[in-house]
Amino acid sequence: MFTTRPTLQGTFGMVSTTHWLASQSAMAVLEDGGNVFDAAVAAGFVLHVVEPHLNGPAGEVPVILAPAGGEVRVLCGQGVAPAGATVAHYRSLGLDLVPGTGPLAAAVPGAFDAWMLLLRDHGTRALADVLKYAIGYAEDGHPPVERVTETVETVRELFETEWTSSAEVYLPGGRAPRPGELLRNPALAATWRRLLAEVADAGDREAQIEAARRVWRSGFIAEALVRQAERPTLDTSGERHTGTLTAADLAAWSASYEAPATYDWRGWTLCKAGPWSQGPVMLQQLALLPPELPAPGSADYMHLLIEGCKLAMADREAWYGDAAEVPLRELLSEPYNASRRALVGDAASYELRPGSPGGRAPRLSGHALVTAAGEAGFDPLGVPGAGEPTVAASPLSPVPGEPDVAADGGTRGDTCHLDVVDRWGNMVAATPSGGWLQSNPVVPELGFPLGTRLQMTWLEEGLPNSLTPGRRPRTTLTPSLALRDGVPVMAFGTPGGDQQDQWQTHFFLAVALRPKVRGGLDLQGAVDAPNWHNDSFPGSFYPRGMRPGSVTVESRTDPEVVRELRRRGHDVLVGGAWTEGRLCAVARDPRTGVLSAAANPRGMQGYAVGR
């Protein structure tokens, strides 16, 4: 079949990321003798520089890794709520939602420490070797993509009047960065150079990495982050607030490893982060599928997946989080899913219907109940800078923190993703996000801002996702790794907030159900296939809106399918031809050692490279 690009194949190494400079930097590490984990860390730090509207060092990153011959593990780079981040404190400020921007929304930064653990435990290269690419692009400059310009313009007034340290980086001379010109971030380059200088005499490779972790937690970087959190900052509430992050919070937290959540489906095993993320939503969607599936791309097929997604997302709202025990075993059990499967009828559902795993009664937040009922009383649009990164916003958007379709067919920004596989059989998938340029003011001494992941928690006690000191906010970040007959064969993922486990489910099924090409998985065909998403559940980003019954499809979708979906009651919005998803994927055939990769053409910046 015709695809926008070929599925790359080779035997040395394959990389797919959401920006070509990160892809090529990772490939350069592989060419220099590094492994998957060295390459992933290099790419991660480059993404901080070239996609600053989508992620930063003080954000977060979940990583799924499969060392050759070893066990699949999840590396959690999602920081926790600070000790002072209590529901009572936020309520005392007159808030009923955590603001979408500003220091009150900042969790303990998680990305940096996670990258350091990955490099220390699984990499082979020195810290200076993997940081040199990011330092070069920050110091010497890189030509920004159009989305950076568009994003900066959406927050220009805020930068010029309030967040002036951000204006110094992203409005040099009063102008937003322009494609074809060089964007520099000398403060960020200086931060990494100072870090390397301070750890240079610490000892061997591992000792230097450990020293870097200490600098982040308690050295000059930690001191600057805390100073920033203490500065009154205008946020989406319309008020100026200080944050809750302290030196003790930074010193106490570390990234950590854990076993993945898994589900077996037709000889495949899907590995995801646990229910502190939305990752098991993908597993639940697979568990809800009947033994026989309708023809892929048909109205019956799309209706089945849309309705199953609604049920899984309703369970996410009632059961997922880090502040209470999650009954994941029951949520993935066959008896539970058989009863849930029976709820899928011929017509579109407009209800939020969480289940009762193990007989437990579901409980939704008061805000989710109000939102699901469609009652008035909150602004469904919010303000610029809320939620996940926003550019080219559409006035129809019910959830500004999520990717949306603009009038010109473009999409909003969202997050980043990277996948790497090497000749030794190591494999990794990571979804860096948070700490983007419109989340918080740039820390003047460091060149990057704090994150805003606490906006995903509820200011209501007793819920799995209640704001709770020392607990992780439930993140939408959700990389994937798939095994075939117990052997790792594919790493994949996408940016996109609440859409991530929708687009990834569609992609995975397209791979699993599609005939092979060139003897391997048709990764590019699955990436290019028309995609869709629904917003029939409370969004994870401020102001937490939803649009019951909605389905957004690409205009390449068969018009007859669109008509049939509407006949069944779906509120179908037809977007641009290439607007749904930013998938990346790499794979390895364990029988032959052949590696493959594909990248998303949407947005004109994701690329796969390899040989």
Side-chain angles (χ1 to χ4, degrees):
M1 64 170 290
F2 172 79
T3 57
T4 57
R5 308 166 184 178
T7 295
L8 305 184
Q9 290 188 320
T11 57
F12 180 81
M14 291 284 164
V15 181
S16 180
T17 84
T18 48
H19 196 290
W20 63 83
L21 292 179
S23 296
Q24 193 53 54
S25 297
M27 194 66 200
V29 173
L30 295 180
E31 294 284 2
D32 195 40
N35 66 16
V36 150
F37 310 109
D38 301 312
V41 175
F45 279 90
V46 169
L47 287 171
H48 297 158
V49 180
V50 300
E51 292 194 315
H53 58 312
L54 307 178
N55 78 136
E60 43 274 325
V61 59
V63 182
I64 302 185
L65 57 144
E71 293 185 4
V72 175
R73 302 291 286 170
V74 171
L75 174 55
C76 175
Q78 174 58 66
V80 299
T86 65
V87 170
H89 173 61
Y90 285 61
R91 288 287 189 178
S92 73
L93 298 173
L95 300 170
D96 56 10
L97 289 174
V98 177
T101 61
L104 274 179
V108 177
F112 181 86
D113 198 60
W115 290 128
M116 291 302 99
L117 274 189
L118 187 65
L119 185 65
R120 184 197 71 183
D121 297 340
H122 299 280
T124 64
R125 289 297 186 254
L127 181 57
D129 292 334
V130 297
L131 276 182
K132 66 182 181 182
Y133 305 94
I135 291 172
Y137 288 126
E139 195 165 62
D140 302 326
H142 69 281
V145 295
E146 289 83 354
R147 294 291 187 267
V148 173
T149 305
E150 293 166 349
T151 303
V152 172
E153 289 295 352
T154 67
V155 286
R156 170 186 284 275
E157 182 178 355
L158 178 67
F159 281 12
E160 290 177 335
T161 59
E162 294 280 345
W163 297 9
T164 53
S165 60
S166 298
E168 292 177 9
V169 177
Y170 293 108
L171 288 170
R175 292 177 53 196
R178 296 187 181 185
E181 299 179 359
L182 293 179
L183 171 61
R184 296 179 174 86
N185 190 339
L188 178 58
T191 295
W192 298 145
R193 288 199 179 281
R194 179 177 173 183
L195 174 74
L196 291 175
E198 291 196 7
V199 306
D201 297 328
D204 62 11
R205 189 187 78 89
E206 293 187 13
Q208 289 186 11
I209 294 169
E210 278 300 298
R213 296 178 71 204
R214 289 193 295 273
V215 170
W216 179 274
R217 287 173 168 161
S218 57
F220 79 94
I221 294 177
E223 293 168 358
L225 291 173
V226 171
R227 280 195 297 272
Q228 184 62 47
E230 293 171 345
R231 294 182 177 115
T233 301
L234 182 67
D235 59 36
T236 54
S237 72
E239 302 292 333
R240 292 176 180 83
H241 293 113
T242 57
T244 60
L245 183 69
T246 67
D249 295 317
L250 282 163
W253 186 83
S254 171
S256 59
Y257 295 98
E258 59 189 53
T262 63
Y263 185 76
D264 295 331
W265 187 82
R266 297 191 182 184
W268 293 84
T269 299
L270 273 294
C271 301
K272 303 288 287 187
W276 52 267
S277 76
Q278 73 172 0
V281 161
M282 181 177 178
L283 308 183
Q284 283 198 250
Q285 289 176 85
L286 294 175
L288 283 163
L289 293 176
E292 298 296 326
L293 297 179
S298 67
D300 287 341
Y301 180 81
M302 291 181 65
H303 174 77
L304 178 69
L305 293 181
I306 292 164
E307 293 303 301
C309 177
K310 292 175 185 176
L311 294 173
M313 283 295 194
D315 278 345
R316 183 195 75 167
E317 287 309 303
W319 298 110
Y320 289 22
D322 195 37
E325 183 179 353
V326 179
L328 189 58
R329 183 185 299 274
E330 289 89 347
L331 289 169
L332 295 176
S333 69
E334 176 52 30
Y336 177 77
N337 283 285
S339 65
R340 298 285 278 164
R341 200 177 297 130
L343 297 176
V344 178
D346 291 332
S349 169
Y350 279 60
E351 299 177 66
L352 192 65
R353 300 181 290 178
S356 301
R360 302 169 178 85
R363 181 183 166 196
L364 295 168
S365 73
H367 183 90
L369 289 170
V370 169
T371 304
E375 297 178 21
F378 87 107
D379 176 7
L381 289 177
V383 299
E388 283 214 87
T390 303
V391 298
S394 162
L396 298 176
S397 171
V399 276
E402 308 298 346
D404 190 29
V405 181
D408 63 359
T411 58
R412 298 165 132 194
D414 32 76
T415 292
C416 310
H417 187 80
L418 65 90
D419 302 305
V420 193
V421 61
D422 64 25
R423 62 191 185 276
W424 300 292
N426 299 302
M427 191 177 294
V428 68
T431 309
S433 188
W436 42 69
L437 66 87
Q438 63 276 39
S439 63
N440 260 297
V442 166
V443 183
E445 307 95 318
L446 302 178
F448 58 85
L450 287 164
T452 54
R453 195 59 58 174
L454 293 186
Q455 68 179 292
M456 313 186 88
T457 61
W458 295 115
L459 295 182
E460 185 176 340
E461 300 284 7
L463 297 168
N465 194 33
S466 297
L467 178 65
T468 307
R471 295 292 183 173
R472 294 166 288 191
R474 188 193 70 215
T475 180
T476 52
L477 307 175
T478 171
S480 300
L481 198 139
L483 289 69
R484 186 71 175 165
D485 299 321
V487 180
V489 296
M490 183 168 64
F492 60 100
T494 179
D498 293 315
Q499 280 71 45
Q500 289 182 32
D501 281 310
Q502 300 186 58
W503 292 331
Q504 290 185 73
T505 300
H506 308 159
F507 165 82
F508 169 72
L509 290 173
V511 169
L513 302 174
R514 194 181 290 267
K516 292 185 176 182
V517 292
R518 300 195 192 99
L521 302 175
D522 185 10
L523 301 183
Q524 194 63 50
V527 168
D528 287 356
N531 218 321
W532 69 93
H533 80 273
N534 82 87
D535 294 312
S536 297
F537 48 86
S540 294
F541 295 90
Y542 181 93
R544 316 300 295 269
M546 68 178 284
R547 186 156 54 95
S550 70
V551 181
T552 302
V553 304
E554 293 180 320
S555 62
R556 295 180 293 130
T557 306
D558 184 344
E560 288 297 326
V561 169
V562 173
R563 277 191 284 273
E564 176 60 17
L565 291 174
R566 285 174 171 159
R567 188 192 69 77
R568 296 184 183 208
H570 296 282
D571 179 12
V572 181
L573 171 65
V574 178
W578 297 92
T579 51
E580 292 285 314
R582 285 180 64 204
L583 284 146
C584 299
V586 299
R588 179 179 183 271
D589 187 330
R591 297 174 298 108
T592 63
V594 171
L595 313 177
S596 55
N600 171 57
R602 301 164 179 90
M604 301 290 286
Q605 67 183 72
Y607 265 87
V609 295
R611 69 175 179 87

